[in-house]
Amino acid sequence: MEKMVQYEVHSFISFTLAIMLLFIGKALTLRYEVLRRYSIPEPVIGGFACAAVVALLYFAFDVRLSFDLQIRDYLLLYFFAALGLKSDLASLRRGGKPLAILLALASVFIVLQNLLGMGMAAGFGLNPKAGLMVGSVALTGGVGTTLAWAPIFSQSLGIGNALELGIASNTVGLIAACVIGGPLAHHLIRRHRLTPSADTALEVGTVYAQNHATLCYYDVLWVWMWLNLALMLGYGFNLGFVAAGVTLPPFVSCLIAGILIRNLGMWLLAKRGQSTEPASGLSLALISDICLGMFLTMALMGMQLWELQGSVLFVLSTLCLQVLLTIGFALWVVFRCMGGDYEASVIAAGFGGIGLGSTATAIVNMSAVTQRYGAAHLAFLIVPLVCGFFIDIVNALIIGAMAGV
């Protein structure tokens, strides 16, 4: 039996490859109308194509190719810091009731997701609590939550393959979340004859070719400075949370830091009689869009699809039902409870990211929809807050209660 050959691609080459994959995704989107019709994000196309090639090398040629993706997590921090710098407290207050409704719906969905996972585990003759790893641990929680809970499930509950189950489920869920968002919104808009937004001021995905504003060297540098300050402040917040015994994803701290800088800056400038924002405009949109696209591309290209071996039947059967549950819940519950309008359709598209993938996936799905149909400001306000902040706390409480640990 031939020995497996392993290669790790240097971080600089990995980053360059991610850029090339984004261009490949863009080219394929322009070439195939079906990709545009269903708003399949460009990073998904390029990133998954790379993951498929890497899997082929593994299975066909015994070559294990991995990528050094250290920069990937910084890209996500930049994106959420930028999102915070675009948010003002007045908008947060306007999002109060819809945010509470979406959080309540997501909390109910977590329980349903876990009950489905536990039922399937019992049906396959496994410890029912192993089903939590193919439920909200890996799907709503994502990779970070999976890595945090896997040792507890292994040591306290005797589920030795908890990590493998979680990683495999997260992989399948991430792919599914990327694919269902655009078609789901497209279906709702056509089915209910919704009037798309005429607003072209997108939070994410500005069409730069159609924007006649010019980028200034110092504007970009100014925005970059504020983003770095938000990351530094966010890092300090994260250390404070850890010291207080609160575990939250680092991007949540950067989002809070960006919101604080934006609103404190606006308040100080208003006192001086100025109306200029600390960081805004095309420069901020450009940097945040590049960071989000690159992050998702690198996240997908780094997937190791062979980790699905071993528990394939259980994981795939459960995940098929989890995807159907997510689609049904988004179509018949989230869309209606969020108002049944165009904004609700965009939120429903983002719910795939909440329930199956990650905050970045939710944002990319909504971005792909709004680039075609118009802005949805409420969706981009409340989904990241539910996805990236509140839901992690709720999820941890529910997992602990259902696992009995």
Side-chain angles (χ1 to χ4, degrees):
M1 183 176 179
E2 293 185 13
K3 186 178 180 181
M4 178 72 67
V5 179
Q6 299 189 42
Y7 296 104
E8 182 178 61
V9 181
H10 188 273
S11 58
F12 179 78
I13 299 175
S14 299
F15 185 78
T16 305
L17 177 60
I19 298 174
M20 297 170 65
L21 291 170
L22 262 178
F23 278 114
I24 291 172
K26 178 69 173 178
L28 291 174
T29 302
L30 292 174
R31 182 179 180 86
Y32 297 104
E33 195 273 336
V34 66
L35 298 176
R36 299 191 300 276
R37 181 191 312 153
Y38 292 107
S39 303
I40 305 301
E42 295 158 6
V44 173
I45 301 168
F48 186 67
C50 179
V53 171
V54 171
L56 178 64
L57 291 174
Y58 180 88
F59 288 113
F61 302 101
D62 288 328
V63 175
R64 180 167 183 163
L65 190 65
S66 61
F67 301 96
D68 185 344
L69 302 175
Q70 293 183 36
I71 195 172
R72 177 187 59 189
D73 296 333
Y74 284 100
L75 293 170
L76 188 65
L77 298 183
Y78 270 116
F79 169 74
F80 278 99
L83 205 59
L85 289 174
K86 298 176 186 177
S87 303
D88 62 87
L89 291 178
S91 297
L92 292 175
R93 287 194 294 270
R94 288 196 298 271
K97 183 178 179 180
L99 189 149
I101 294 173
L102 184 60
L103 178 60
L105 294 175
S107 301
V108 171
F109 182 76
I110 287 174
V111 176
L112 296 176
Q113 197 173 55
N114 285 337
L115 290 175
L116 173 58
M118 295 174 74
M120 289 295 290
F124 274 84
L126 304 174
N127 184 337
K129 293 179 180 178
L132 295 172
M133 295 304 299
V134 294
S136 72
V137 174
L139 301 177
T140 298
V143 176
T145 303
T146 300
L147 295 176
W149 281 98
I152 299 174
F153 275 62
S154 297
Q155 296 165 14
S156 301
L157 302 177
I159 303 171
N161 63 342
L163 179 61
E164 288 75 17
L165 288 175
I167 293 297
S169 300
N170 179 260
T171 300
V172 177
L174 182 64
I175 296 170
C178 291
V179 172
I180 68 173
L184 197 152
H186 179 73
H187 167 77
L188 287 171
I189 291 170
R190 292 190 61 186
R191 171 81 179 269
H192 299 279
R193 296 184 175 87
L194 303 178
T195 303
S197 168
D199 189 351
T200 58
L202 304 180
E203 283 83 359
V204 181
T206 300
V207 183
Y208 300 99
Q210 299 174 4
N211 195 316
H212 299 291
T214 56
L215 286 171
C216 171
Y217 171 88
Y218 285 105
D219 284 346
V220 174
L221 200 59
W222 177 253
V223 168
W224 203 343
M225 179 192 73
W226 284 110
L227 285 170
N228 280 358
L229 289 174
L231 261 63
M232 293 164 63
L233 183 61
Y235 178 73
F237 285 162
N238 196 256
L239 290 178
F241 288 139
V242 171
V246 178
T247 302
L248 291 173
F251 68 78
V252 176
S253 302
C254 293
L255 175 64
I256 296 171
I259 293 173
L260 181 63
I261 289 174
R262 156 70 184 263
N263 290 277
L264 182 60
M266 289 288 288
W267 178 74
L268 292 174
L269 290 171
K271 289 194 69 173
R272 297 177 58 183
Q274 299 176 349
S275 59
T276 305
E277 300 176 12
S280 62
L282 192 59
S283 298
L284 184 59
L286 176 64
I287 294 174
S288 66
D289 289 359
I290 289 175
C291 289
L292 178 62
M294 290 293 293
F295 168 80
L296 190 58
T297 302
M298 297 180 80
L300 289 172
M301 66 185 272
M303 291 193 306
Q304 298 178 336
L305 298 178
W306 54 85
E307 291 182 349
L308 294 175
Q309 296 181 96
S311 301
V312 172
L313 183 59
F314 166 59
V315 171
L316 291 184
S317 299
T318 306
L319 265 293
C320 284
L321 294 179
Q322 294 285 20
V323 171
L324 291 175
L325 175 66
T326 304
I327 294 172
F329 197 84
L331 283 175
W332 298 313
V333 180
V334 174
F335 175 69
R336 294 179 181 179
C337 291
M338 296 310 299
D341 56 7
Y342 171 67
E343 285 271 5
S345 73
V346 178
I347 293 172
F351 194 81
I354 296 177
L356 292 174
S358 65
T359 308
T361 313
I363 297 297
V364 169
N365 282 348
M366 295 192 301
S367 174
V369 175
T370 55
Q371 285 183 53
R372 180 175 181 184
Y373 295 105
H377 301 299
L378 181 64
F380 278 91
L381 174 65
I382 66 174
V383 169
L385 287 172
V386 169
C387 231
F389 183 68
F390 296 108
I391 203 64
D392 284 319
I393 300 173
V394 173
N395 193 25
L397 295 174
I398 293 176
I399 292 169
M402 298 185 79
V405 294

